[in-house]
Amino acid sequence: VSTQDEFLELYATAEEMTASGFTMTGKTSLDELTSTQATLRLRRTVARIDLVVQERGVTVHEVNIRGIADRGYLNERNNVSNPATSERTDFHKEYADTPLANSRETLLYLCEQAGNTLTAEVIADINGGLHRMTATFPSEILRNRIYTIQVHGNGAAVSLTVVADNWEEGDSAESTPDLKGVIDVEAS
């Protein structure tokens, strides 16, 4: 038994919201219903951070993200905020044995948060030179979004950018094996 206010104040860590699948929430007003059925669109309670390295001659050795709120609200609020008990943590990942090259990788999931700007620091080898680059995330990290850290390196022009995009389900496609298929090696 809970009041509506108590229910809206529930919070959890990103790990708790993603442990057994994604926690998803949505809301609608019963006053606005025109029939006995309602369609409710659910959204993930967390954001996702990906690292993308797609340029030739670029390898990532280390990634650091600083200023991450360790918990967030389960239910979406009118204004993005953090629970009063939340603390700031950092994320660190090293690619010591096999640096990341020519790929995309999901780094972590974050709670929706505001009030402290997150920063990303990447140490990358770009055409034989080691570079330390930093980028700043938007001031509000919103739920159900993908934030992509893109590492660019082209000669002397190196950069690190953060791009935000909606996290929606893409189109699905099915494939079936062709048991008597032939591969044209020359055209492949």
Side-chain angles (χ1 to χ4, degrees):
V1 176
S2 174
T3 67
Q4 181 179 358
D5 290 339
E6 289 171 337
F7 177 72
L8 293 175
E9 289 295 317
L10 291 175
Y11 60 83
T13 65
E15 291 79 19
E16 292 169 331
M17 290 190 240
T18 59
S20 299
F22 292 102
T23 303
M24 300 180 82
T25 62
K27 65 180 178 179
T28 189
S29 173
L30 298 177
D31 296 333
E32 297 173 9
L33 290 179
T34 57
S35 69
T36 57
Q37 293 184 348
T39 301
L40 181 62
R41 187 172 186 172
L42 298 177
R43 296 167 32 107
R44 293 167 190 86
T45 57
V46 293
R48 186 177 95 193
I49 296 183
D50 288 354
L51 176 63
V52 175
V53 183
Q54 293 180 327
E55 294 182 12
R56 187 174 177 201
V58 177
T59 57
V60 171
H61 292 270
E62 187 177 327
V63 178
N64 294 292
I65 301 173
R66 295 184 178 88
I68 301 168
D70 66 346
R71 63 197 71 177
Y73 290 107
L74 286 173
N75 296 292
E76 195 165 4
R77 303 165 84 74
N78 292 334
N79 296 315
V80 177
S81 62
N82 305 96
T85 58
S86 69
E87 296 178 3
R88 299 294 170 168
T89 62
D90 296 336
F91 170 84
H92 174 78
K93 183 165 186 179
E94 279 190 51
Y95 299 92
D97 297 331
T98 54
L100 187 68
N102 298 321
S103 64
R104 177 184 195 112
E105 178 178 289
T106 296
L107 294 175
L108 73 153
Y109 298 100
L110 301 175
C111 299
E112 185 173 54
Q113 55 194 284
N116 186 35
T117 304
L118 274 68
T119 58
E121 178 186 79
V122 172
I123 297 175
D125 183 325
I126 300 173
N127 297 320
L130 209 55
H131 297 269
R132 180 184 309 265
M133 299 173 283
T134 60
T136 303
F137 285 81
S139 59
E140 290 183 340
I141 302 297
L142 304 175
R143 63 182 60 221
N144 207 54
R145 296 278 169 100
I146 298 174
Y147 295 89
T148 305
I149 302 170
Q150 298 175 339
V151 182
H152 305 283
N154 187 4
V158 297
S159 65
L160 184 68
T161 57
V162 175
V163 179
D165 197 8
N166 282 333
W167 186 359
E168 300 296 334
E169 191 67 35
D171 295 334
S172 62
E174 292 185 22
S175 64
T176 56
D178 185 0
L179 299 177
K180 298 200 184 232
V182 178
I183 298 173
D184 184 352
V185 176
E186 299 299 321
S188 296

